[in-house]
Amino acid sequence: TLNKDFLLFRFSLLMLDLEEYYFEQHTAHHMIHRDKGSNRIVKGSLKICSKSFIFEPDPLTEPVMKILLRDCKTIEELADQKDTSPFTDKRPGGIFIRCSQVFFYLTKKNFFLLYKLLKGEIDCLFQLEAAGKVEDVVQTLLQLHRASCLDKLGDQTAMITAILQSRLARTSFDKNRLCSISENPHMECETEMVTPLVTNPGHVCITDQNLYFQPLNGYPEPVVQIKLHDIKRIYKRRHGLKPLVSVCVCKIKNMSTVVNLSFIDCQIKDPVFKYFSVLWSVYMAVSEVNLGQGLNLYFFCYLTLFNHLQKRPCLLLKVHPPLKIKVAGLGCVSLPPLPPPSYLFKCFSLSLGGGNCAFLSKFLQIRYREMPGPKFMYGSHYSSPGYVLFYLVRIVAPEYMLCVQNGKYDHADRMFNSISETWRNCLEGATDFKELIPEFYGKDSSFLVNSLKLNLGKRQGGKMVEDVELPPWASSSDDFLQKNQEVLESQHVSEHLHEWIDLVFGYKQRGSEAIAAHNVFHPLTYEEGVDLDSIEDLNEKIAMLTQILEFGQTPKQLFLTPHPQRITPRIQNLSRASSRSISFVESSPVSPSDDSSFEDLTEESRRLVWNNLSKLKLDCQHKIHKEAVTGIAVTKNGGSVFTTSQDSTLKMFSKELKSFQRSMSFSNMALSSCLILQENTTVCSSWDNHIYFYSIDYGRRQDTLMGHDDAVSKICWHDNQLYSASWDSTVKVWRCAPSETSGTKRNNFELLAELEHDAGVSVINLNPAGTMLVSGTKEGTVCVWDLVTFSMVHQVSCHSGTIYDIAFSSDSRHILSSGEDCSFKVIDVQTGMLISSVSSEQQQRCFCWDGQTVLSGSQSGELLVWDLMEGKITARIPGHSGAVTCMWMNEQSGDIITGGEDKQVIFWKLQY
């Protein structure tokens, strides 16, 4: 009798052998005969697979049966009139099986365990409810039995592949499965859905509304539906060293899901990918690092960026991303506040076995010198399914290890028992070359705890395998991960990370540099190390492919020259002795309070700002205008802040003295925006149709440009060209050299182009390169313009009212806009399609964004931090007593200035 831990979940594709396919299922009865004549009939499902068949009984008290086809001696249809039948219930549709062994499985806590293995001459009888299908099922089993009994693996694979392709060719996507009769199918092709250790063949159908995958076997459901507007990203990936897999990262039922589709016809992959690219924005890994989101860890993001670039998804165990940061202090009693690099870290410049000099000199070099070609130094690999399952068996992937081990766990003494023990084996062992995986630097420590109470066996000495034994200096599994994160972000890693990148992703990965660095692996682990298509011997080809999939794969080589060392300014006057562990703050860039933070800061400091916007604090606030503030501009050195207002004045405020120094009025109408040209000229736009130039050096109005027939709403400047937007439905482009804007010399403005719109233009912005302009109108239309030809590229009606603010992403791939209709809209620049819409409780009048995170100023006066990918607010920061109308941000220092309808100008600081 089974206990209550055995759940409803029964059959799983992980019950199949590697590279085995599940074809079909039939409702059947298992006729169980006992010696004393007490026969039983168990109803269930008979599942036909390419190398086995499985009977899943309906009663939960009965185990799942699996019979390998190669173990079968007899497979035949049992005629109704057969007198030798041991069963009294002579139903039609009998299939008689005689085999040498039967596997029985029980499912516990949603994964299967081998219950028992019955050996001997065993007779089994199954009766199908659909009696007319018995002959077809028997013929199928006999055909698959012949394939399983072929001597050579290549011949087996070829025959099974031919059977699979024949089944796919005889079927097609069932159009009755479409959600709506109005859907227009665009493309259909044969694919395999790839999940860890399992491939499931079927058909893909792409319509104008959905992507459908219909499994050939109807498992786990008849059709998988993905709405096109839920698709977030599309990647090209590798599987078996071949670029055959497209990955669609989707959002299904508010959960992130990855669907890996491997195309059976390799030629169809690129057309499908191009079709996706037309419909959606193709987010390349260069601009997004998913694994590092929310961790505030630069190096974690940087390393996982490389894994994205060389197409190694976490969900495919064969190419699980490696992270090399090996902490030599894992076996120490305590983790010192400032350990010497030689004590705490494994040397970044050495290969996997480089930490053990004796191992290198006595084994690697001797073996490498005497080995016939092709030579390699390591007989194992640091990124293989076995190593990944070794770490994740307790919570993430117990079912995968059971699949690999045929329903059993590995020997207890070979399990992941101790951090210190694993470290010593990697450092001192001759065959253990494990690297850490991203989970060691994440936030979920469940893989270190046996929370499922798995029976992982008993070690020598009688101790049961339970939780992973942590180093003495870690108080808990969460504390262990936290300290790993701190180590990863430390100064020492900052100075030496490039050495490891050279080994794994860079110029020391191959060739003479790899030999010198003791970094040579088996040729089959390298991308393009072998051309499988050129191998004519099918058996040799299958053997190589199997080795590639199971042995591990070396990352794609990304750099052919040494990776530069990270620029790591050190913080002054920081007492290290007071820290009990390496602090994340110690590895931070220059303090944002320094004036030097306005110049020459690394990209890491920019990411630091965006990852910590929730820590934004009000520094000071000043009421320097009589009406709503409309524009903010800051000099390059950060010393002076200029603001415009509906009170028609331009004010100059000293950041250092915290007081305004000048006040200028150009007309009796509101000023709408301002910008600074080369530190000596401020330019203002006005509702009186004019643009005013103010000389900072001379303290007076320098020039006036009457550019429009209605109010000028916004101005931009790039490369000696001024762009002005107006309620007269135009954007004008003017040429004006900055050298002509100094002193008292009046300027000659040349009108280069006039960009016509259908409604008044409320806002404009330029991409960072100054090659494109985006405009937003009072009727909610977004227009994208090519500034080389001055022609419109896209026109998108996406808001139902005035567009308040608009901006390109830093990579110019996307445009974000906020409008009167209380929503954010994201537009793909390449296709001109609206790809995302995020609703807000109130109007967002202004914003800054980095492509994912948004800092917006709301109608209520709050500053809101948004995770745009999730479409949710992550932080609310009280600020103004009225709407926030304008915003200025230094992405590198974290300095932020906002202006509002409450006439206030507020200065903000990040508190790290």
Side-chain angles (χ1 to χ4, degrees), residues 390-630:
F390 172 82
Y391 288 125
L392 302 182
V393 64
R394 282 172 173 80
I395 187 66
V396 181
E399 62 270 34
Y400 299 126
M401 177 173 282
L402 291 169
C403 175
V404 173
Q405 299 284 344
N406 196 22
K408 298 180 180 179
Y409 294 111
D410 199 1
H411 191 280
D413 288 302
R414 290 196 296 264
M415 299 289 284
F416 182 30
N417 295 304
S418 165
I419 299 290
S420 303
E421 182 180 310
T422 302
W423 163 253
R424 285 193 298 271
N425 289 340
C426 292
L427 186 65
E428 301 171 1
T431 59
D432 195 343
F433 309 115
K434 296 183 185 74
E435 291 284 16
L436 299 186
I437 57 177
E439 283 76 3
F440 278 86
Y441 303 99
K443 290 186 175 180
D444 184 2
S445 63
S446 59
F447 71 100
L448 299 171
V449 182
N450 188 16
S451 59
L452 295 178
K453 303 302 179 184
L454 305 176
N455 184 5
L456 301 176
K458 184 181 294 186
R459 304 188 66 185
Q460 292 182 11
K463 185 177 180 180
M464 294 296 296
V465 177
E466 293 294 346
D467 298 345
V468 176
E469 182 180 338
L470 302 173
W473 44 260
S475 60
S476 65
S477 56
D478 289 338
D479 181 59
F480 173 73
L481 295 191
Q482 176 62 35
K483 285 185 168 63
N484 276 354
Q485 294 172 11
E486 292 172 355
V487 167
L488 186 60
E489 301 302 321
S490 66
Q491 186 70 32
H492 179 78
V493 176
S494 299
E495 296 170 351
H496 294 278
L497 181 68
H498 65 286
E499 299 171 358
W500 177 75
I501 293 173
D502 289 338
L503 286 171
V504 178
F505 303 101
Y507 79 109
K508 290 184 179 181
Q509 187 194 92
R510 304 186 186 191
S512 59
E513 293 288 349
I515 297 173
H518 314 304
N519 193 40
V520 183
F521 296 89
H522 195 284
L524 288 181
T525 67
Y526 294 93
E527 185 178 18
E528 301 173 356
V530 61
D531 184 4
L532 293 175
D533 296 331
S534 66
I535 301 175
E536 297 182 358
D537 188 329
L538 187 57
N539 293 293
E540 180 184 358
K541 183 175 182 179
I542 295 299
M544 284 192 173
L545 180 59
T546 301
Q547 185 174 354
I548 288 170
L549 293 176
E550 296 183 4
F551 185 80
Q553 297 177 24
T554 299
K556 180 183 179 68
Q557 189 174 23
L558 300 178
F559 307 104
L560 299 178
T561 58
H563 188 280
Q565 183 177 6
R566 181 193 178 199
I567 300 173
T568 54
R570 296 179 180 270
I571 295 181
Q572 304 296 324
N573 300 323
L574 183 64
S575 174
R576 298 187 172 188
S578 62
S579 176
R580 296 191 59 84
S581 62
I582 298 177
S583 171
F584 175 66
V585 179
E586 290 181 33
S587 62
S588 301
V590 176
S591 171
S593 63
D594 296 341
D595 289 339
S596 60
S597 62
F598 282 85
E599 300 182 26
D600 193 28
L601 289 181
T602 63
E603 175 66 14
E604 284 83 357
S605 62
R606 177 178 176 271
R607 296 306 312 161
L608 180 65
V609 169
W610 283 104
N611 287 338
N612 288 276
L613 282 179
S614 60
K615 300 176 183 178
L616 203 62
K617 302 296 182 184
L618 191 151
D619 184 35
C620 60
Q621 60 189 75
H622 305 274
K623 187 175 181 178
I624 57 178
H625 284 284
K626 297 180 180 179
E627 298 293 340
V629 182
T630 57

Side-chain angles (χ1 to χ4, degrees), residues 636-686:
K636 187 175 181 180
N637 63 11
S640 299
V641 178
F642 288 84
T643 57
T644 53
S645 170
Q646 290 183 7
D647 64 9
S648 76
T649 63
L650 169 70
K651 303 258 180 159
M652 176 178 174
F653 185 88
S654 172
K655 180 182 176 183
E656 181 178 357
L657 299 177
K658 295 186 177 181
S659 63
F660 81 91
Q661 296 180 311
R662 302 184 192 177
S663 180
M664 293 70 64
S665 180
F666 303 112
S667 74
N668 59 359
M669 297 191 71
L671 299 180
S672 55
S673 67
C674 61
L675 55 85
I676 295 177
L677 307 184
Q678 290 194 340
E679 298 292 297
N680 57 11
T681 301
T682 302
V683 186
C684 305
S685 57
S686 175

Side-chain angles (χ1 to χ4, degrees), residues 236-250:
K236 290 183 179 179
R237 290 289 188 232
R238 288 190 299 149
H239 184 60
L241 292 183
K242 298 177 67 177
L244 298 179
V245 180
S246 292
V247 179
C248 304
V249 181
C250 313

Side-chain angles (χ1 to χ4, degrees), residues 46-65:
L46 186 66
K47 304 176 188 299
I48 311 301
C49 307
S50 59
K51 298 180 182 180
S52 65
F53 61 93
I54 296 172
F55 181 73
E56 179 187 12
D58 290 346
L60 300 182
T61 55
E62 297 289 338
V64 176
M65 296 177 56

